[in-house]
Amino acid sequence: MKASRALAAVAAVGFASLAWGGTAPAHADTNGCPSGYVCIYPSNSWGTPSLKFYNYGATNLSNVVGTHRVFNNQTGGAIVQLCTAYNGGGCGAAQAPGWYADVDLTPINSVNLAAQAPANNQTAAFNFFRSIGYTREQAAGVVGNLMQESGTSVNPGAVQPGGPGRGIAQWSVGDRWDTLVSWAQSRGEDPWALQTQLEFIQHELDTQGWLGKSQLTSATTVYDATVAFEDNYERCGDCQTSTRVSYATQVYNAHP
């Protein structure tokens, strides 16, 4: 079954198989793909599209296997992502209008269209926490911590040199990282994807009271939110609180 092959295929070839290969004139009806649409072609060449996507959000694929040409002919900066899980989970990089590629869609289970890609992972993470109900101060406090943990780029592929930390929150191998991997696999998602890791933070906060959701949601300043997440969720040793607060303040000021 296609869904059961997704994680194995991604593990074997990585997201390099999703690399985009060229540009084509966007915004006009091009190669049978109407303006404003994302199109999938029957093979790795132009022709008549076999699938066309217009509405924003994730659309699941069914029995789409092998190599196909994918073309983003949307307008206004709208992006497309290819996702290994159903309903827009485990998505790869956002691709801008005009880009196309010949992609092995065997491990791909959904296609996600969105108005515009976030400027960077800081913005993506901030927007995620705002979208699930956290205030600007609280979202900035979380992201400031993630910048300290995984680098200012908020890198989901971060690996602690010589240590067990993994991902944007530096979960430890043998402990919470293993839980994240199992949780992601149970959902058909890539544990190294930014969206998966953000959703796992949400999952842990919602289900593990000792990780400090109540303290975080009670915080009304960037400083208090940063310290609440640091003390309860990260539970770090040498926390370097002042650096975390500085990062969080930068994020807060950058997202009015």
Side-chain angles (χ1 to χ4, degrees), residues 4-15 17 104 106-108:
S4 65
R5 291 202 302 268
L7 286 174
V10 171
V13 302
F15 275 96
S17 65
D104 179 6
T106 303
I108 302 303

Side-chain angles (χ1 to χ4, degrees), residues 57-161:
T59 301
N60 292 333
L61 300 180
S62 178
N63 298 318
V64 181
V65 297
T67 301
H68 298 259
R69 181 157 294 181
V70 184
F71 174 36
N72 182 6
N73 200 31
Q74 297 181 98
T75 61
I79 59 93
V80 61
Q81 295 170 290
L82 303 180
C83 311
T84 56
Y86 290 112
N87 302 314
C91 294
Q95 305 299 340
W99 288 90
Y100 71 89
D102 298 331
V103 182
D104 179 6
L105 295 182
T106 303
I108 302 303
N109 282 303
S110 59
V111 176
N112 184 59
L113 278 60
Q116 193 168 15
N120 52 46
N121 285 357
Q122 290 179 26
T123 296
F126 179 86
N127 289 345
F128 174 83
F129 289 106
R130 290 288 285 134
S131 74
I132 59 174
Y134 290 95
T135 66
R136 285 178 61 222
E137 292 82 1
Q138 294 159 6
V142 173
V143 177
N145 274 279
L146 301 180
M147 291 168 67
Q148 175 64 21
E149 293 293 329
S150 63
T152 55
S153 64
V154 187
N155 178 16
V159 174
Q160 181 183 8

Side-chain angles (χ1 to χ4, degrees), residues 3 8 34 44 56 62 70 78 80 88 108 131 141 164 170 204 207 223 226 233:
N44 59 343
Y56 289 153
S62 178
V70 184
V80 61
I108 302 303
S131 74
Q170 289 293 277
E204 284 201 313
T207 61
Y223 179 88
T226 305
Y233 189 89

Side-chain angles (χ1 to χ4, degrees), residues 129 132-139 141-142 202 205-206 209 211-221 224-229 232:
F129 289 106
I132 59 174
Y134 290 95
T135 66
R136 285 178 61 222
E137 292 82 1
Q138 294 159 6
V142 173
Q202 178 189 10
L205 288 172
D206 287 347
L211 291 176
K213 181 177 180 178
S214 62
Q215 292 90 331
L216 178 61
T217 56
S218 296
T220 58
T221 67
D224 287 346
T226 305
V227 172
F229 194 82
N232 296 284

